[in-house]
């Protein structure tokens, strides 16, 4: 289900302005990250915690702004390292 949702988003992004990218990691994480680049060089990172047996709608999350550089930079560097080692969806689906 999740894979088909992600592939649907990727296909949708091919016909719209902007860009959506997703990749696979080879471990189960208890965090998810969404990085959003906004106009003017600003950005946000939405970090969602995924506690055990917690319903989707009850998951706690943190929104970090690029204007607050300390935590934002730490999470951005972590996200970019994870991204660098992750497998692109298209490459994964060819396996």
């Amino acid at each position: 289900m999740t894979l088909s949702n992600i592939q649907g988003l990727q296909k949708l992004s091919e016909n719209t302005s902007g860009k959506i990218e997703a990749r696979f990691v080879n471990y189960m994480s208890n965090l998810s990250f969404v990085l959003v680049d906004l106009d003017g060089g600003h950005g946000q990172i939405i970090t969602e915690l995924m506690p055990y047996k917690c319903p989707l709608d009850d998951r706690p999350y943190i929104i970090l702004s690029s204007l607050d550089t300390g935590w934002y930079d730490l999470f951005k560097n972590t996200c970019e390292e994870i991204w660098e080692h992750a497998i692109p969806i298209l490459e994964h689906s060819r396996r």
Side-chain angles (χ1 to χ4, degrees):
M1 176 84 172
T2 300
L3 178 55
S4 64
N5 289 339
I6 292 170
Q7 289 172 330
L9 283 173
Q10 189 161 5
K11 205 170 261 314
L12 176 66
S13 74
E14 294 169 4
N15 301 317
T16 60
S17 63
K19 186 176 181 182
I20 296 173
E21 294 181 64
R23 293 186 178 194
F24 289 102
V25 293
N26 63 354
Y27 59 90
M28 184 66 99
S29 177
N30 61 350
L31 297 173
S32 70
F33 303 99
V34 176
L35 275 71
V36 180
D37 290 325
L38 304 172
D39 293 334
H42 298 293
Q44 289 183 333
I45 299 173
I46 302 162
T47 303
E48 184 179 65
L49 290 77
M50 297 183 287
Y52 180 66
K53 292 190 176 183
C54 180
L56 181 65
D57 293 339
D58 294 339
R59 290 180 182 169
Y61 64 91
I62 302 164
I63 298 177
L64 302 166
S65 168
S66 61
L67 299 175
D68 299 319
T69 57
W71 284 108
Y72 180 87
D73 289 344
L74 174 69
F75 276 80
K76 183 176 182 205
N77 291 338
T78 300
C79 291
E80 291 191 4
E81 185 174 349
I82 292 168
W83 183 262
E84 186 177 310
H85 293 97
I87 301 168
I89 287 178
L90 295 176
E91 184 179 317
H92 182 271
S93 62
R94 290 184 197 131
R95 291 180 177 190

